[in-house]
């Protein structure tokens, strides 16, 4: 859901709160060092076994490059603003990016919730195929034709009217099949 830049920006905002200009410079230097290390690892891969918990070296290199870029941006912000310490709330660009990340995350959560509701609705639906004897089928078609419906629509309405009495017997009160708006 988040790009490597999003992850780097979020981490820098969280870790950078209250850091002085000198401390931010240390973060820039550390990110530069880690970026170089991960790039070297990509250029000269080792014969290490990649297990289920091993990190993707390419993703790690991209992440450190993004962190390096973000820490340099914060250092430049401190220099131009004259602030002595980093305050993420006063970082207009950082706030904008954080709001965009939040909006994307919320959109993804909303889409997932809608998808889950659709799946639940689909689970609650019943789709069936029934085989009726010829005489029963002819009667159903005749009833449907008189009502201006398809046989499946009559069966759906029949199912809507089915009740179970106290003895467990299935009972259908008399009803007139009718057209339903939207069908």
């Amino acid at each position: 859901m988040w790009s490597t830049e999003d992850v780097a920006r979020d981490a820098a905002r969280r870790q950078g709160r209250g850091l002085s200009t000198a401390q931010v410079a240390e973060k820039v230097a550390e990110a530069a060092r880690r970026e170089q290390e991960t790039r070297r690892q990509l250029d000269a891969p080792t014969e290490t076994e990649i297990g289920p918990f091993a990190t993707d070296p390419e993703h790690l290199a991209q992440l450190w490059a993004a962190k390096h870029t973000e820490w340099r941006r914060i250092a430049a912000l401190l220099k131009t603003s004259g602030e002595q310490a980093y305050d993420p709330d006063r970082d207009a660009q950082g706030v904008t990016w954080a709001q965009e990340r939040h909006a994307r995350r919320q959109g993804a959560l909303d889409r997932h919730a809608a998808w889950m509701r659709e799946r639940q609705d689909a689970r609650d639906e019943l789709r069936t195929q029934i085989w009726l004897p010829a005489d029963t089928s002819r009667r159903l078609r005749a009833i449907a034709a008189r009502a201006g419906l398809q046989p499946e629509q009559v069966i759906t309405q029949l199912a809507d009217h089915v009740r179970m009495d106290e003895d467990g017997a299935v009972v259908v009160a008399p009803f007139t099949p009718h057209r339903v708006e939207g069908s």
Side-chain angles (χ1 to χ4, degrees):
M1 180 175 355
W2 281 7
S3 67
T4 53
E5 289 80 11
D6 289 332
V7 172
R9 290 169 183 160
D10 185 63
R13 282 178 59 81
R14 283 183 290 105
Q15 295 170 2
R17 183 177 298 278
L19 292 184
S20 68
T21 306
Q23 290 171 314
V24 169
E26 290 173 12
K27 290 287 191 180
V28 170
E30 176 191 6
R33 182 180 52 78
R34 297 294 299 267
E35 180 183 12
Q36 289 174 353
E37 287 173 0
T38 55
R39 286 282 169 217
R40 275 196 305 267
Q41 288 174 352
L42 276 181
D43 294 340
T46 60
E47 294 286 326
T48 59
E49 185 177 321
I50 297 178
F53 304 109
T55 58
D56 175 12
E58 189 169 328
H59 174 74
L60 191 60
Q62 291 171 352
L63 181 60
W64 276 109
K67 284 184 177 186
H68 186 203
T69 300
E70 183 59 13
W71 282 115
R72 283 187 312 205
R73 187 192 69 79
I74 291 171
L77 175 71
L78 289 176
K79 184 177 181 180
T80 58
S81 70
E83 297 284 332
Q84 297 302 310
Y86 178 65
D87 181 1
D89 298 331
R90 295 180 65 157
D91 178 357
Q93 185 65 57
V95 168
T96 300
W97 285 335
Q99 290 169 342
E100 289 171 359
R101 282 191 305 274
H102 177 73
R104 283 196 315 270
R105 181 178 187 276
Q106 192 58 50
L109 290 174
D110 292 346
R111 286 188 301 279
H112 179 72
W115 178 72
M116 291 299 287
R117 283 191 301 276
E118 287 175 11
R119 285 193 60 205
Q120 182 60 45
D121 290 347
R123 254 187 256 136
D124 292 343
E125 291 177 356
L126 173 64
R127 294 175 187 263
T128 186
Q129 186 175 27
I130 57 173
W131 296 91
L132 299 173
D135 61 329
T136 305
S137 179
R138 280 190 292 276
R139 277 192 315 236
L140 177 61
R141 283 194 185 101
I143 292 168
R146 274 184 281 176
L149 301 171
Q150 295 294 316
E152 297 83 9
Q153 292 171 308
V154 174
I155 291 174
T156 300
Q157 290 181 24
L158 177 66
D160 286 341
H161 287 83
V162 168
R163 302 290 174 254
M164 193 176 288
D165 68 9
E166 300 84 31
D167 299 327
V170 175
V171 179
V172 180
F175 75 97
T176 303
H178 60 282
R179 286 186 101 32
V180 179
E181 292 299 316
S183 53

